[in-house]
Amino acid sequence: MSVYDNYPTVAERVAMKLALLRKWTAEGKVPDGFSCPSSLAKARTWDDPENGIFSIGSKRDWNTVNSPHRSSIVAIAKLIVPLSARAAKKASKRRSDKVRIGDLEDLLQATEAAREDATTQWQELSQKLASKELELTAATAERTFLKSQLDSAKSEIRELKRRVFNIREV
């Protein structure tokens, strides 16, 4: 008894590949975790025993000209093109989604850095404003004091002028 006794025949292997590709075509997609062969040559060597897909070693059994399985192989070729294109588009979309996510993460980091810079700048300006408000309060108080001294000095000058003129009159 040989290891190959329970191994499917070439006709069974071709039929299993065709059946799976038809199922995926009917579903409109290649399920996650599966890969669709992108060419007829890759379909021949496609091997996924867990899902009943076995490679076909002989190129003689796998051609579209004179193989006994010609009609099935032609059907497989017709199914591979749209399925592999969808799978490639899905992979490309996943890649573009990953790129977009990366871009958004970069944008988020840049935004966060800008927010931190703006917060730091706001805090500095807030401190400067508080300092200037204190300076203004001090300057206002000093102005009020100097104005009162000026008023007092003017008053004293008036008083002195009045005395000087009163003394001359006498």
Side-chain angles (χ1 to χ4, degrees):
M1 184 159 175
S2 166
V3 175
Y4 298 106
D5 287 342
N6 290 330
Y7 205 69
T9 65
V10 172
E12 291 171 335
R13 286 181 268 167
V14 171
M16 286 185 232
K17 289 180 184 197
L18 181 58
L20 186 60
L21 291 171
R22 282 182 175 154
K23 178 183 173 195
W24 288 353
T25 301
E27 292 172 354
K29 65 176 185 167
V30 177
D32 292 336
F34 290 92
S35 62
C36 180
S38 57
S39 69
L40 208 49
K42 289 181 181 176
R44 182 182 66 81
T45 59
W46 181 24
D47 192 57
D48 188 359
E50 294 171 2
N51 293 297
I53 303 298
F54 298 93
S55 67
I56 297 169
S58 171
K59 290 181 183 178
R60 183 179 51 88
D61 290 328
W62 188 265
N63 69 67
T64 58
V65 178
N66 58 6
S67 170
H69 317 289
R70 180 188 173 287
S71 61
S72 295
I73 294 169
V74 168
I76 288 172
K78 288 178 181 176
L79 294 172
I80 284 175
V81 174
L83 281 173
S84 63
R86 283 186 203 136
K89 184 177 180 181
K90 186 177 179 182
S92 174
K93 183 179 183 322
R94 268 187 258 124
R95 268 186 256 116
S96 66
D97 286 350
K98 287 180 182 176
V99 167
R100 186 166 181 236
I101 288 169
D103 290 346
L104 290 173
E105 286 173 344
D106 292 345
L107 180 61
L108 179 63
Q109 287 176 347
T111 303
E112 185 64 25
R115 186 194 61 79
E116 287 174 9
D117 289 347
T119 301
T120 302
Q121 204 172 33
W122 179 82
Q123 289 171 342
E124 290 172 358
L125 291 173
S126 180
Q127 289 173 352
K128 284 182 181 178
L129 179 62
S131 173
K132 294 296 180 186
E133 285 174 341
L134 286 173
E135 287 178 23
L136 179 62
T137 303
T140 302
E142 184 178 3
R143 179 181 170 267
T144 303
F145 172 73
L146 291 174
K147 188 174 180 191
S148 70
Q149 280 190 329
L150 179 62
D151 290 343
S152 177
K154 283 182 180 177
S155 195
E156 190 176 331
I157 290 172
R158 268 195 309 270
E159 180 61 31
L160 288 172
K161 279 184 181 178
R162 193 177 51 79
R163 279 189 197 167
V164 167
F165 287 123
N166 278 341
I167 294 176
R168 284 192 184 168
E169 289 178 5
V170 177

